[in-house]
Amino acid sequence: MKKGTKILLAVLVLVVVFIVYTFSTYNSLVRMTENVDSKWSQVENQLQRRADLIPNLVNTVKGYAKHEKEIFETLAQARSKLLNSSTVEDKAKANDELSSAISRLLVIVENYPNLKADEAFVQLMDELSGTENRIAVSRKDYNETVKQYNIKIKVFPNVLIARMFGFEERQYFQASSQAKSVPSVDFSK
Amino acid sequence: MKIKPGFICRVLAAVFIIAVSSLLFVSFAKAQIPKKPVENVYIFDYANLIDSSDEEKMRALAKEIEDKSKAEIVVVTVESLGSYTIEEYANELFRSWGIGDKELNNGILILVNKENLLLGKRGRIRIEVGYGLEGAIPDGKAGRILDEYAIPAFERKEYSKGIKDTFLAVASEVANEYGLKIDGLSGYGVSEDVSENEVTSDGNEENVVDGTFRLGIGAELIIVFGLFFLIIFLVTIVILYNQPYAGKKYEWTWKNGKWEKKVYVYRYDDLLKNNRSFFDDSDDSDSFGGDGGFGGFGGGSSGGGGASR
């Protein structure tokens, strides 16, 4: 083989390798983003489910503790904040605020033993803890998927492909530490 | 490069042993959740809480239900949860064992934690429901099952009965879901839902376990070791294959009036040719359907639904 042909062949092989690599990396990045999206919609499902349970909870508690107006207001606000937030970070923050509101409610419920024993309330609390557990599980799954994806678009040489096609880093589902509010129990009421 | 074959073999053996023992160490260090058993015998009483008659009864029922509906109801008792909460432990065990059919996700795990059970503390029992059965046993119903069947018996320290009755209640719901008629389940129903606005399964029953993205740290280490093995193995094979000889055979012959030492050398590829039969041991070691006719687990998954007490 002539030297010129050899070089041409080598270049051709390199080009082919590069093309194959680009194809496969791009495709796997596409698959991963779909996976991240699907895991995120799982998280959103569970957040929605939790938000849906709040009105029931409030009504059941109102049946026994009509005068605890402040906590009902807090719960309603936290719930609408969750439903109105759109980014991952906002949802995480709103979710944590709703959790604080619920734990405050539970502290108040301790004062109403009849309420604690009420069948509807017990069932709602089971549903609520079930939902919270589901949020925890789907959050874990989502964050794991995001981690895999973020690593993949950051390592060399994938980072070149990612930049080329506009793949961006995804956010983890967790609130930044300063957003967590400490539950305050008002004993004067 | 000429190296004595024996030397290579010894080095390889040493490396092998080191790699294998470190592998074992890794898996022991992480051994909190019991490893997935090969056979699904439904009742795994690691903490010795269940009487043998109750165990046999549950096992027979669980087998009947799986045979008729592919639903797997599994009971596991453990000494303690280590640093896990009962929800985390149950979900990890459920997923790593793969309880329930892969497509239908109809698995249920009843997990009992002996440590909290004896103390009467929260976190003693959990019913973890797979995606596919969340309609049949929503969280509220799971909680009611525990309140009606598990807690009263546990408070009387009748642990085996509590577990058995919980199992029967769960089995009864599963049988209802699939329209099965099974003996021994009458009288184990649960009161129907109390609140009108019960939030039931949103129909989102996709199998969310995507194998490629769920590797934990243990699995990654195993893969690293596996690759390490493979490379050592391949390199050794290549080196050995290219050795000038695998063995020497001496033969004295009489030639031209004196004894002459003749050296026969043979290479590894000659040995291979003569030992073809060694590699034909096709062993289909799918140990499904073991001694008692039990199969493996179906590979189902759970999203965290259920209730704990």
Side-chain angles (χ1 to χ4, degrees), chain A residues 32 35 38-39 42 45-46 49 53 56 119-120 122-123 126-127 130-131 133-134 137 140-141 144 148, chain B residues 87 91 95 126 134 139-140 143-144 193-195 197-199 204 206 208 210 213 303-305 309:
Chain A
M32 284 180 110
N35 213 27
S38 115
K39 293 291 197 294
Q42 286 276 339
N45 270 345
Q46 304 310 335
R49 185 178 178 142
L53 283 170
N56 290 343
E119 267 184 24
V122 169
Q123 176 173 318
D126 273 335
E127 291 286 332
T131 309
N133 192 37
R134 282 196 182 79
V137 169
K140 186 178 90 170
D141 289 344
E144 184 57 40
Q148 306 273 348
Chain B
E87 287 80 12
N91 191 247
R95 285 180 167 190
R126 176 168 178 83
E134 283 182 0
D139 303 341
R144 275 199 303 285
D193 302 326
V194 179
S195 68
N197 308 334
E198 167 106 32
V199 178
N204 196 356
E206 62 173 272
V208 287
D210 182 353
F213 298 117
R309 285 293 181 268

mmCIF file of all heavy atoms in Angstrom, chain A residues 32 35 38-39 42 45-46 49 53 56 119-120 122-123 126-127 130-131 133-134 137 140-141 144 148, chain B residues 87 91 95 126 134 139-140 143-144 193-195 197-199 204 206 208 210 213 303-305 309:
data_model
loop_
_atom_site.group_PDB
_atom_site.id
_atom_site.type_symbol
_atom_site.label_atom_id
_atom_site.label_comp_id
_atom_site.label_asym_id
_atom_site.label_seq_id
_atom_site.Cartn_x
_atom_site.Cartn_y
_atom_site.Cartn_z
ATOM 1 N N MET A 32 -30.893 9.233 28.814
ATOM 2 C CA MET A 32 -30.776 9.598 30.224
ATOM 3 C C MET A 32 -31.649 10.790 30.575
ATOM 4 O O MET A 32 -32.247 10.827 31.651
ATOM 5 C CB MET A 32 -29.324 9.898 30.574
ATOM 6 C CG MET A 32 -28.508 8.649 30.705
ATOM 7 S SD MET A 32 -26.816 9.026 31.113
ATOM 8 C CE MET A 32 -26.777 8.444 32.792
ATOM 9 N N ASN A 35 -35.044 9.578 31.062
ATOM 10 C CA ASN A 35 -35.133 8.882 32.339
ATOM 11 C C ASN A 35 -35.266 9.870 33.490
ATOM 12 O O ASN A 35 -36.099 9.691 34.388
ATOM 13 C CB ASN A 35 -33.884 8.030 32.527
ATOM 14 C CG ASN A 35 -34.184 6.766 33.291
ATOM 15 O OD1 ASN A 35 -35.293 6.266 33.255
ATOM 16 N ND2 ASN A 35 -33.204 6.263 33.977
ATOM 17 N N SER A 38 -38.714 11.293 33.472
ATOM 18 C CA SER A 38 -39.751 10.375 33.930
ATOM 19 C C SER A 38 -39.681 10.204 35.449
ATOM 20 O O SER A 38 -40.711 10.143 36.129
ATOM 21 C CB SER A 38 -39.640 9.049 33.183
ATOM 22 O OG SER A 38 -39.313 8.004 34.037
ATOM 23 N N LYS A 39 -38.453 10.165 36.009
ATOM 24 C CA LYS A 39 -38.347 10.058 37.462
ATOM 25 C C LYS A 39 -38.876 11.332 38.115
ATOM 26 O O LYS A 39 -39.466 11.295 39.198
ATOM 27 C CB LYS A 39 -36.880 9.855 37.888
ATOM 28 C CG LYS A 39 -36.278 8.540 37.476
ATOM 29 C CD LYS A 39 -36.897 7.393 38.228
ATOM 30 C CE LYS A 39 -36.092 6.132 38.181
ATOM 31 N NZ LYS A 39 -35.942 5.483 36.912
ATOM 32 N N GLN A 42 -42.551 11.255 38.437
ATOM 33 C CA GLN A 42 -42.941 10.440 39.586
ATOM 34 C C GLN A 42 -42.961 11.280 40.852
ATOM 35 O O GLN A 42 -43.900 11.202 41.663
ATOM 36 C CB GLN A 42 -41.914 9.305 39.799
ATOM 37 C CG GLN A 42 -41.966 8.187 38.821
ATOM 38 C CD GLN A 42 -42.994 7.157 39.197
ATOM 39 O OE1 GLN A 42 -43.381 7.074 40.354
ATOM 40 N NE2 GLN A 42 -43.453 6.392 38.237
ATOM 41 N N ASN A 45 -45.899 13.573 40.856
ATOM 42 C CA ASN A 45 -47.116 12.827 41.169
ATOM 43 C C ASN A 45 -47.326 12.732 42.668
ATOM 44 O O ASN A 45 -48.416 12.971 43.185
ATOM 45 C CB ASN A 45 -47.001 11.396 40.638
ATOM 46 C CG ASN A 45 -47.514 11.274 39.239
ATOM 47 O OD1 ASN A 45 -48.201 12.162 38.761
ATOM 48 N ND2 ASN A 45 -47.166 10.186 38.586
ATOM 49 N N GLN A 46 -46.244 12.358 43.353
ATOM 50 C CA GLN A 46 -46.375 12.164 44.799
ATOM 51 C C GLN A 46 -46.589 13.492 45.512
ATOM 52 O O GLN A 46 -47.352 13.559 46.488
ATOM 53 C CB GLN A 46 -45.143 11.452 45.351
ATOM 54 C CG GLN A 46 -44.811 10.128 44.701
ATOM 55 C CD GLN A 46 -45.978 9.185 44.608
ATOM 56 O OE1 GLN A 46 -46.924 9.263 45.384
ATOM 57 N NE2 GLN A 46 -45.944 8.292 43.634
ATOM 58 N N ARG A 49 -50.143 14.320 45.095
ATOM 59 C CA ARG A 49 -50.943 13.458 45.951
ATOM 60 C C ARG A 49 -50.968 13.992 47.378
ATOM 61 O O ARG A 49 -52.025 14.018 48.034
ATOM 62 C CB ARG A 49 -50.303 12.079 45.914
ATOM 63 C CG ARG A 49 -51.032 11.014 46.623
ATOM 64 C CD ARG A 49 -50.242 9.747 46.393
ATOM 65 N NE ARG A 49 -50.845 8.638 47.076
ATOM 66 C CZ ARG A 49 -50.903 7.413 46.583
ATOM 67 N NH1 ARG A 49 -50.405 7.166 45.398
ATOM 68 N NH2 ARG A 49 -51.442 6.452 47.277
ATOM 69 N N LEU A 53 -54.178 15.576 49.711
ATOM 70 C CA LEU A 53 -54.638 15.054 51.002
ATOM 71 C C LEU A 53 -54.877 16.156 52.022
ATOM 72 O O LEU A 53 -55.616 15.976 52.984
ATOM 73 C CB LEU A 53 -53.599 14.071 51.559
ATOM 74 C CG LEU A 53 -53.580 12.690 50.931
ATOM 75 C CD1 LEU A 53 -52.357 11.928 51.401
ATOM 76 C CD2 LEU A 53 -54.827 11.907 51.276
ATOM 77 N N ASN A 56 -58.581 17.336 52.969
ATOM 78 C CA ASN A 56 -59.253 16.312 53.777
ATOM 79 C C ASN A 56 -58.798 16.388 55.215
ATOM 80 O O ASN A 56 -59.577 16.313 56.160
ATOM 81 C CB ASN A 56 -58.903 14.908 53.279
ATOM 82 C CG ASN A 56 -59.532 14.621 51.946
ATOM 83 O OD1 ASN A 56 -60.459 15.310 51.558
ATOM 84 N ND2 ASN A 56 -59.032 13.618 51.272
ATOM 85 N N GLU A 119 -61.431 7.420 63.375
ATOM 86 C CA GLU A 119 -61.040 6.498 62.291
ATOM 87 C C GLU A 119 -60.611 7.218 61.024
ATOM 88 O O GLU A 119 -59.619 6.839 60.390
ATOM 89 C CB GLU A 119 -62.213 5.576 61.959
ATOM 90 C CG GLU A 119 -62.169 4.281 62.726
ATOM 91 C CD GLU A 119 -63.291 3.345 62.320
ATOM 92 O OE1 GLU A 119 -63.797 3.492 61.191
ATOM 93 O OE2 GLU A 119 -63.647 2.493 63.148
ATOM 94 N N ALA A 120 -61.386 8.233 60.658
ATOM 95 C CA ALA A 120 -61.054 8.941 59.418
ATOM 96 C C ALA A 120 -59.681 9.604 59.544
ATOM 97 O O ALA A 120 -58.893 9.625 58.598
ATOM 98 C CB ALA A 120 -62.119 9.976 59.103
ATOM 99 N N VAL A 122 -57.169 8.653 61.496
ATOM 100 C CA VAL A 122 -56.121 7.627 61.469
ATOM 101 C C VAL A 122 -55.833 7.208 60.024
ATOM 102 O O VAL A 122 -54.679 7.084 59.610
ATOM 103 C CB VAL A 122 -56.531 6.397 62.305
ATOM 104 C CG1 VAL A 122 -55.584 5.241 62.067
ATOM 105 C CG2 VAL A 122 -56.549 6.747 63.776
ATOM 106 N N GLN A 123 -56.916 7.014 59.262
ATOM 107 C CA GLN A 123 -56.698 6.608 57.874
ATOM 108 C C GLN A 123 -55.963 7.695 57.097
ATOM 109 O O GLN A 123 -55.047 7.406 56.325
ATOM 110 C CB GLN A 123 -58.038 6.318 57.204
ATOM 111 C CG GLN A 123 -57.842 6.001 55.747
ATOM 112 C CD GLN A 123 -59.118 5.539 55.087
ATOM 113 O OE1 GLN A 123 -59.866 4.764 55.654
ATOM 114 N NE2 GLN A 123 -59.341 6.022 53.886
ATOM 115 N N ASP A 126 -52.341 7.679 57.878
ATOM 116 C CA ASP A 126 -51.646 6.598 57.182
ATOM 117 C C ASP A 126 -51.390 6.971 55.736
ATOM 118 O O ASP A 126 -50.304 6.747 55.190
ATOM 119 C CB ASP A 126 -52.471 5.301 57.230
ATOM 120 C CG ASP A 126 -52.203 4.496 58.485
ATOM 121 O OD1 ASP A 126 -51.104 4.651 59.055
ATOM 122 O OD2 ASP A 126 -53.080 3.718 58.893
ATOM 123 N N GLU A 127 -52.426 7.530 55.104
ATOM 124 C CA GLU A 127 -52.275 7.936 53.705
ATOM 125 C C GLU A 127 -51.182 8.984 53.581
ATOM 126 O O GLU A 127 -50.369 8.957 52.659
ATOM 127 C CB GLU A 127 -53.593 8.539 53.177
ATOM 128 C CG GLU A 127 -54.715 7.554 53.022
ATOM 129 C CD GLU A 127 -54.512 6.642 51.833
ATOM 130 O OE1 GLU A 127 -53.864 7.054 50.858
ATOM 131 O OE2 GLU A 127 -54.987 5.495 51.893
ATOM 132 N N GLY A 130 -47.835 7.436 54.100
ATOM 133 C CA GLY A 130 -47.541 6.642 52.915
ATOM 134 C C GLY A 130 -47.058 7.533 51.792
ATOM 135 O O GLY A 130 -46.082 7.230 51.103
ATOM 136 N N THR A 131 -47.744 8.671 51.618
ATOM 137 C CA THR A 131 -47.359 9.593 50.559
ATOM 138 C C THR A 131 -45.988 10.182 50.826
ATOM 139 O O THR A 131 -45.175 10.311 49.907
ATOM 140 C CB THR A 131 -48.390 10.716 50.440
ATOM 141 O OG1 THR A 131 -49.671 10.132 50.337
ATOM 142 C CG2 THR A 131 -48.127 11.559 49.225
ATOM 143 N N ASN A 133 -43.623 8.842 52.433
ATOM 144 C CA ASN A 133 -42.642 7.796 52.150
ATOM 145 C C ASN A 133 -42.426 7.665 50.647
ATOM 146 O O ASN A 133 -41.306 7.524 50.168
ATOM 147 C CB ASN A 133 -43.118 6.466 52.734
ATOM 148 C CG ASN A 133 -42.028 5.418 52.723
ATOM 149 O OD1 ASN A 133 -40.874 5.718 52.944
ATOM 150 N ND2 ASN A 133 -42.392 4.186 52.428
ATOM 151 N N ARG A 134 -43.519 7.753 49.897
ATOM 152 C CA ARG A 134 -43.398 7.666 48.445
ATOM 153 C C ARG A 134 -42.588 8.824 47.908
ATOM 154 O O ARG A 134 -41.830 8.673 46.957
ATOM 155 C CB ARG A 134 -44.774 7.686 47.800
ATOM 156 C CG ARG A 134 -45.486 6.382 47.883
ATOM 157 C CD ARG A 134 -46.642 6.378 46.903
ATOM 158 N NE ARG A 134 -47.380 5.144 46.990
ATOM 159 C CZ ARG A 134 -48.255 4.889 47.920
ATOM 160 N NH1 ARG A 134 -48.525 5.771 48.837
ATOM 161 N NH2 ARG A 134 -48.865 3.718 47.942
ATOM 162 N N VAL A 137 -38.996 8.000 48.513
ATOM 163 C CA VAL A 137 -38.482 6.984 47.597
ATOM 164 C C VAL A 137 -38.290 7.552 46.196
ATOM 165 O O VAL A 137 -37.242 7.365 45.564
ATOM 166 C CB VAL A 137 -39.430 5.764 47.546
ATOM 167 C CG1 VAL A 137 -39.052 4.837 46.418
ATOM 168 C CG2 VAL A 137 -39.399 5.021 48.859
ATOM 169 N N LYS A 140 -35.350 9.821 46.077
ATOM 170 C CA LYS A 140 -34.089 9.080 46.039
ATOM 171 C C LYS A 140 -33.811 8.596 44.618
ATOM 172 O O LYS A 140 -32.701 8.731 44.103
ATOM 173 C CB LYS A 140 -34.173 7.907 47.012
ATOM 174 C CG LYS A 140 -32.876 7.130 47.172
ATOM 175 C CD LYS A 140 -33.028 6.010 48.189
ATOM 176 C CE LYS A 140 -33.478 4.747 47.474
ATOM 177 N NZ LYS A 140 -33.430 3.542 48.306
ATOM 178 N N ASP A 141 -34.837 8.012 43.981
ATOM 179 C CA ASP A 141 -34.668 7.526 42.611
ATOM 180 C C ASP A 141 -34.295 8.661 41.677
ATOM 181 O O ASP A 141 -33.398 8.531 40.837
ATOM 182 C CB ASP A 141 -35.985 6.906 42.093
ATOM 183 C CG ASP A 141 -36.285 5.595 42.778
ATOM 184 O OD1 ASP A 141 -35.371 5.025 43.402
ATOM 185 O OD2 ASP A 141 -37.437 5.134 42.695
ATOM 186 N N GLU A 144 -30.738 9.955 42.228
ATOM 187 C CA GLU A 144 -29.763 8.986 41.726
ATOM 188 C C GLU A 144 -29.627 9.112 40.216
ATOM 189 O O GLU A 144 -28.521 9.113 39.672
ATOM 190 C CB GLU A 144 -30.224 7.574 42.106
ATOM 191 C CG GLU A 144 -29.260 6.474 41.722
ATOM 192 C CD GLU A 144 -27.877 6.632 42.304
ATOM 193 O OE1 GLU A 144 -27.768 7.045 43.481
ATOM 194 O OE2 GLU A 144 -26.900 6.369 41.587
ATOM 195 N N GLN A 148 -26.257 10.289 37.968
ATOM 196 C CA GLN A 148 -25.662 9.549 36.838
ATOM 197 C C GLN A 148 -25.548 10.445 35.611
ATOM 198 O O GLN A 148 -24.519 10.469 34.928
ATOM 199 C CB GLN A 148 -26.558 8.360 36.449
ATOM 200 C CG GLN A 148 -26.912 7.427 37.574
ATOM 201 C CD GLN A 148 -25.877 6.359 37.766
ATOM 202 O OE1 GLN A 148 -25.019 6.177 36.934
ATOM 203 N NE2 GLN A 148 -25.947 5.669 38.875
ATOM 204 N N GLU B 87 -38.990 1.962 56.970
ATOM 205 C CA GLU B 87 -39.444 2.233 55.610
ATOM 206 C C GLU B 87 -38.301 2.040 54.613
ATOM 207 O O GLU B 87 -38.478 1.441 53.546
ATOM 208 C CB GLU B 87 -39.975 3.673 55.498
ATOM 209 C CG GLU B 87 -41.321 3.927 56.166
ATOM 210 C CD GLU B 87 -41.219 4.122 57.666
ATOM 211 O OE1 GLU B 87 -40.093 4.292 58.164
ATOM 212 O OE2 GLU B 87 -42.269 4.094 58.327
ATOM 213 N N ASN B 91 -38.148 -0.995 51.785
ATOM 214 C CA ASN B 91 -38.103 -0.665 50.368
ATOM 215 C C ASN B 91 -36.864 -1.240 49.692
ATOM 216 O O ASN B 91 -36.935 -1.794 48.599
ATOM 217 C CB ASN B 91 -38.170 0.856 50.186
ATOM 218 C CG ASN B 91 -38.402 1.240 48.757
ATOM 219 O OD1 ASN B 91 -37.547 1.811 48.107
ATOM 220 N ND2 ASN B 91 -39.560 0.894 48.222
ATOM 221 N N ARG B 95 -36.939 -4.162 46.801
ATOM 222 C CA ARG B 95 -36.392 -3.959 45.467
ATOM 223 C C ARG B 95 -35.218 -4.880 45.186
ATOM 224 O O ARG B 95 -35.076 -5.372 44.074
ATOM 225 C CB ARG B 95 -35.945 -2.504 45.304
ATOM 226 C CG ARG B 95 -37.117 -1.587 45.141
ATOM 227 C CD ARG B 95 -36.647 -0.173 44.981
ATOM 228 N NE ARG B 95 -37.715 0.683 44.531
ATOM 229 C CZ ARG B 95 -37.532 1.933 44.118
ATOM 230 N NH1 ARG B 95 -36.330 2.445 44.096
ATOM 231 N NH2 ARG B 95 -38.555 2.655 43.730
ATOM 232 N N ARG B 126 -43.930 -3.526 59.191
ATOM 233 C CA ARG B 126 -44.311 -2.724 58.033
ATOM 234 C C ARG B 126 -44.857 -3.626 56.953
ATOM 235 O O ARG B 126 -44.309 -4.711 56.688
ATOM 236 C CB ARG B 126 -43.127 -1.934 57.485
ATOM 237 C CG ARG B 126 -43.506 -1.168 56.218
ATOM 238 C CD ARG B 126 -42.482 -0.154 55.787
ATOM 239 N NE ARG B 126 -42.920 0.479 54.548
ATOM 240 C CZ ARG B 126 -43.771 1.498 54.465
ATOM 241 N NH1 ARG B 126 -44.271 2.011 55.577
ATOM 242 N NH2 ARG B 126 -44.128 2.008 53.301
ATOM 243 N N GLU B 134 -51.221 -1.440 44.772
ATOM 244 C CA GLU B 134 -51.556 -0.261 45.572
ATOM 245 C C GLU B 134 -53.034 0.042 45.520
ATOM 246 O O GLU B 134 -53.565 0.714 46.393
ATOM 247 C CB GLU B 134 -50.761 0.956 45.087
ATOM 248 C CG GLU B 134 -49.327 0.920 45.548
ATOM 249 C CD GLU B 134 -48.546 2.153 45.110
ATOM 250 O OE1 GLU B 134 -49.146 3.022 44.458
ATOM 251 O OE2 GLU B 134 -47.361 2.225 45.422
ATOM 252 N N ASP B 139 -52.653 2.660 51.334
ATOM 253 C CA ASP B 139 -51.968 2.877 52.607
ATOM 254 C C ASP B 139 -52.900 2.798 53.804
ATOM 255 O O ASP B 139 -52.551 2.256 54.849
ATOM 256 C CB ASP B 139 -51.284 4.254 52.605
ATOM 257 C CG ASP B 139 -50.317 4.395 51.461
ATOM 258 O OD1 ASP B 139 -49.903 3.356 50.913
ATOM 259 O OD2 ASP B 139 -49.991 5.532 51.112
ATOM 260 N N GLY B 140 -54.106 3.397 53.650
ATOM 261 C CA GLY B 140 -55.045 3.392 54.774
ATOM 262 C C GLY B 140 -55.431 1.979 55.178
ATOM 263 O O GLY B 140 -55.473 1.637 56.369
ATOM 264 N N GLY B 143 -52.649 0.223 56.984
ATOM 265 C CA GLY B 143 -52.599 0.661 58.378
ATOM 266 C C GLY B 143 -53.669 -0.015 59.215
ATOM 267 O O GLY B 143 -53.425 -0.441 60.353
ATOM 268 N N ARG B 144 -54.879 -0.140 58.620
ATOM 269 C CA ARG B 144 -55.964 -0.772 59.372
ATOM 270 C C ARG B 144 -55.673 -2.240 59.636
ATOM 271 O O ARG B 144 -55.990 -2.778 60.699
ATOM 272 C CB ARG B 144 -57.285 -0.631 58.619
ATOM 273 C CG ARG B 144 -57.977 0.689 58.908
ATOM 274 C CD ARG B 144 -59.428 0.618 58.541
ATOM 275 N NE ARG B 144 -59.639 0.260 57.143
ATOM 276 C CZ ARG B 144 -59.439 1.103 56.137
ATOM 277 N NH1 ARG B 144 -59.047 2.325 56.367
ATOM 278 N NH2 ARG B 144 -59.635 0.700 54.890
ATOM 279 N N ASP B 193 -62.942 1.353 53.511
ATOM 280 C CA ASP B 193 -62.407 2.688 53.730
ATOM 281 C C ASP B 193 -63.413 3.606 54.361
ATOM 282 O O ASP B 193 -64.584 3.586 54.036
ATOM 283 C CB ASP B 193 -61.944 3.276 52.397
ATOM 284 C CG ASP B 193 -60.906 2.386 51.759
ATOM 285 O OD1 ASP B 193 -60.129 1.786 52.514
ATOM 286 O OD2 ASP B 193 -60.907 2.271 50.534
ATOM 287 N N VAL B 194 -62.919 4.409 55.268
ATOM 288 C CA VAL B 194 -63.831 5.231 56.059
ATOM 289 C C VAL B 194 -64.134 6.560 55.383
ATOM 290 O O VAL B 194 -65.272 6.947 55.252
ATOM 291 C CB VAL B 194 -63.212 5.479 57.454
ATOM 292 C CG1 VAL B 194 -64.126 6.333 58.276
ATOM 293 C CG2 VAL B 194 -62.969 4.163 58.154
ATOM 294 N N SER B 195 -63.058 7.233 54.929
ATOM 295 C CA SER B 195 -63.309 8.559 54.365
ATOM 296 C C SER B 195 -63.717 8.425 52.921
ATOM 297 O O SER B 195 -63.264 7.553 52.195
ATOM 298 C CB SER B 195 -62.059 9.420 54.501
ATOM 299 O OG SER B 195 -61.052 8.929 53.669
ATOM 300 N N ASN B 197 -63.168 10.480 50.477
ATOM 301 C CA ASN B 197 -62.225 10.948 49.473
ATOM 302 C C ASN B 197 -60.897 10.222 49.563
ATOM 303 O O ASN B 197 -59.860 10.827 49.657
ATOM 304 C CB ASN B 197 -61.969 12.451 49.657
ATOM 305 C CG ASN B 197 -63.270 13.197 49.716
ATOM 306 O OD1 ASN B 197 -64.253 12.746 49.174
ATOM 307 N ND2 ASN B 197 -63.249 14.319 50.394
ATOM 308 N N GLU B 198 -60.959 8.905 49.548
ATOM 309 C CA GLU B 198 -59.723 8.127 49.615
ATOM 310 C C GLU B 198 -58.866 8.391 48.377
ATOM 311 O O GLU B 198 -59.344 8.340 47.263
ATOM 312 C CB GLU B 198 -60.076 6.634 49.690
ATOM 313 C CG GLU B 198 -58.915 5.711 49.447
ATOM 314 C CD GLU B 198 -58.419 5.040 50.719
ATOM 315 O OE1 GLU B 198 -59.242 4.797 51.610
ATOM 316 O OE2 GLU B 198 -57.231 4.764 50.816
ATOM 317 N N VAL B 199 -57.642 8.708 48.617
ATOM 318 C CA VAL B 199 -56.740 8.921 47.474
ATOM 319 C C VAL B 199 -56.161 7.579 47.076
ATOM 320 O O VAL B 199 -55.376 6.993 47.801
ATOM 321 C CB VAL B 199 -55.599 9.887 47.848
ATOM 322 C CG1 VAL B 199 -54.669 10.060 46.678
ATOM 323 C CG2 VAL B 199 -56.162 11.214 48.288
ATOM 324 N N ASN B 204 -50.317 5.054 37.967
ATOM 325 C CA ASN B 204 -48.966 5.185 37.427
ATOM 326 C C ASN B 204 -48.170 3.957 37.815
ATOM 327 O O ASN B 204 -47.424 3.963 38.765
ATOM 328 C CB ASN B 204 -48.337 6.449 37.989
ATOM 329 C CG ASN B 204 -47.132 6.844 37.198
ATOM 330 O OD1 ASN B 204 -46.725 6.137 36.287
ATOM 331 N ND2 ASN B 204 -46.555 7.973 37.539
ATOM 332 N N GLU B 206 -45.906 2.198 36.152
ATOM 333 C CA GLU B 206 -44.766 1.817 35.311
ATOM 334 C C GLU B 206 -43.672 1.197 36.167
ATOM 335 O O GLU B 206 -43.481 1.533 37.323
ATOM 336 C CB GLU B 206 -44.211 3.028 34.576
ATOM 337 C CG GLU B 206 -43.672 4.101 35.492
ATOM 338 C CD GLU B 206 -42.989 5.211 34.728
ATOM 339 O OE1 GLU B 206 -41.789 5.083 34.469
ATOM 340 O OE2 GLU B 206 -43.664 6.162 34.370
ATOM 341 N N VAL B 208 -40.552 1.230 37.419
ATOM 342 C CA VAL B 208 -39.553 2.296 37.408
ATOM 343 C C VAL B 208 -38.135 1.824 37.662
ATOM 344 O O VAL B 208 -37.217 2.612 37.698
ATOM 345 C CB VAL B 208 -39.877 3.384 38.447
ATOM 346 C CG1 VAL B 208 -41.028 4.183 37.976
ATOM 347 C CG2 VAL B 208 -40.157 2.773 39.790
ATOM 348 N N ASP B 210 -35.045 0.830 36.473
ATOM 349 C CA ASP B 210 -34.270 0.691 35.254
ATOM 350 C C ASP B 210 -32.912 0.163 35.662
ATOM 351 O O ASP B 210 -32.130 0.864 36.255
ATOM 352 C CB ASP B 210 -34.158 2.063 34.586
ATOM 353 C CG ASP B 210 -33.393 1.982 33.288
ATOM 354 O OD1 ASP B 210 -32.846 0.914 32.972
ATOM 355 O OD2 ASP B 210 -33.349 2.990 32.580
ATOM 356 N N PHE B 213 -29.488 2.094 35.909
ATOM 357 C CA PHE B 213 -29.223 3.279 36.709
ATOM 358 C C PHE B 213 -29.382 3.046 38.195
ATOM 359 O O PHE B 213 -29.514 3.965 38.939
ATOM 360 C CB PHE B 213 -30.141 4.419 36.271
ATOM 361 C CG PHE B 213 -29.919 4.821 34.862
ATOM 362 C CD1 PHE B 213 -30.914 4.683 33.919
ATOM 363 C CD2 PHE B 213 -28.682 5.289 34.473
ATOM 364 C CE1 PHE B 213 -30.701 5.047 32.605
ATOM 365 C CE2 PHE B 213 -28.457 5.635 33.150
ATOM 366 C CZ PHE B 213 -29.478 5.526 32.228
ATOM 367 N N GLY B 303 -42.870 1.296 45.235
ATOM 368 C CA GLY B 303 -42.579 2.719 45.247
ATOM 369 C C GLY B 303 -42.590 3.326 46.633
ATOM 370 O O GLY B 303 -42.515 4.527 46.787
ATOM 371 N N GLY B 304 -42.701 2.485 47.662
ATOM 372 C CA GLY B 304 -42.733 3.029 49.013
ATOM 373 C C GLY B 304 -44.127 3.046 49.608
ATOM 374 O O GLY B 304 -44.349 3.620 50.664
ATOM 375 N N GLY B 305 -45.114 2.431 48.947
ATOM 376 C CA GLY B 305 -46.465 2.419 49.490
ATOM 377 C C GLY B 305 -46.593 1.431 50.633
ATOM 378 O O GLY B 305 -45.813 0.495 50.756
ATOM 379 N N ARG B 309 -46.118 0.311 61.716
ATOM 380 C CA ARG B 309 -46.543 0.577 63.081
ATOM 381 C C ARG B 309 -45.317 0.380 63.988
ATOM 382 O O ARG B 309 -44.536 -0.541 63.759
ATOM 383 C CB ARG B 309 -47.659 -0.392 63.515
ATOM 384 C CG ARG B 309 -49.009 -0.069 62.907
ATOM 385 C CD ARG B 309 -49.559 1.250 63.427
ATOM 386 N NE ARG B 309 -50.876 1.555 62.867
ATOM 387 C CZ ARG B 309 -51.058 2.278 61.767
ATOM 388 N NH1 ARG B 309 -50.036 2.723 61.100
ATOM 389 N NH2 ARG B 309 -52.274 2.538 61.318
#
